[in-house]
Each structure stands twice: as C-alpha cells, then as structure tokens.
Amino acid sequence: MQERLLPPAERAQMAGPRQIVNTGNWKWACSGGALLALLAACAALEPQPRAPDVNLGGFSHSFKQGYADGCGSAGARRPRRDEARYRSEGDYRTGWNDGYAICARRK
C-alpha cells in the first residue's frame, strides 16, 4: 500500500493543535523566578536592630526599647521610632536619644 501525500492544509487539520514542548528550559525559568522573588523579599526587609553593646540592666523596659530603636536609627535611611511613645513616654524618648547619640558616634 502506498502512502498518499496530503497538502499542507489537510495535514494541519489532521494533526490538531501544535504543542511546543521544551523540557529543558522550564527548570531554568522556575529557578530564575524563585531567585528573583527571594532577592525582592530580601531587598524589602529592613535590618533588625542589634542588641546594644552596653549594659542596660538597671533601666526600664521602655528605656531599653527606645535605646535599641535609637541605636538602630543611627546611620539608617529611615529612623526607627515609635512617635506616639516618643511624645508620651519620657523613658522611651531618653533611651532613643541616648541610643541614637551613642551609636551615631560609633558608625
């Protein structure tokens, strides 16, 4: 039996929709997408303030938090400060000012 050659239009109808499958590139695309997502997430995170290098044992919790926020603000693009606490709590305000002043000299 001899095969009959079909014109291109009929061959396309019989073959159905074409599927292009390239199995090698999807791994690279997924890896690249995951890497971009990870880099974007890291860029959006702000560095966490370090524990102060001074002994704050005798101070109130509010002072310690203010000191940590003030120290973390020294040299940062955006200062870390709880404005409501800064205005209303003297210990937080004093701690923030002390932490900022001391850590700004170190950086």
Side-chain angles (χ1 to χ4, degrees):
M1 177 179 259
Q2 186 178 12
E3 286 189 35
R4 184 178 83 128
L5 294 176
L6 298 174
E10 286 182 40
R11 265 189 281 158
Q13 286 177 346
M14 290 179 65
R18 285 188 167 190
Q19 293 181 357
I20 299 173
V21 178
N22 187 350
T23 59
N25 289 338
W26 72 271
K27 292 176 186 174
W28 288 104
C30 289
S31 299
L35 180 62
L36 287 175
L38 180 65
L39 289 174
C42 289
L45 294 176
E46 290 187 28
Q48 295 297 319
R50 296 184 341 193
D53 295 335
V54 296
N55 182 5
L56 299 176
F59 293 94
S60 69
H61 184 66
S62 183
F63 181 91
K64 292 175 190 177
Q65 287 178 331
Y67 188 94
D69 286 349
C71 189
S73 296
R77 279 189 284 168
R78 291 188 335 215
R80 292 178 42 95
R81 183 164 75 186
D82 185 339
E83 292 297 330
R85 291 181 74 190
Y86 188 83
R87 285 190 297 266
S88 64
E89 294 180 33
D91 280 353
Y92 181 86
R93 181 175 43 254
T94 303
W96 195 96
N97 289 334
D98 288 354
Y100 185 86
I102 291 169
C103 292
R105 280 186 260 145
R106 292 181 186 170
K107 292 180 181 182

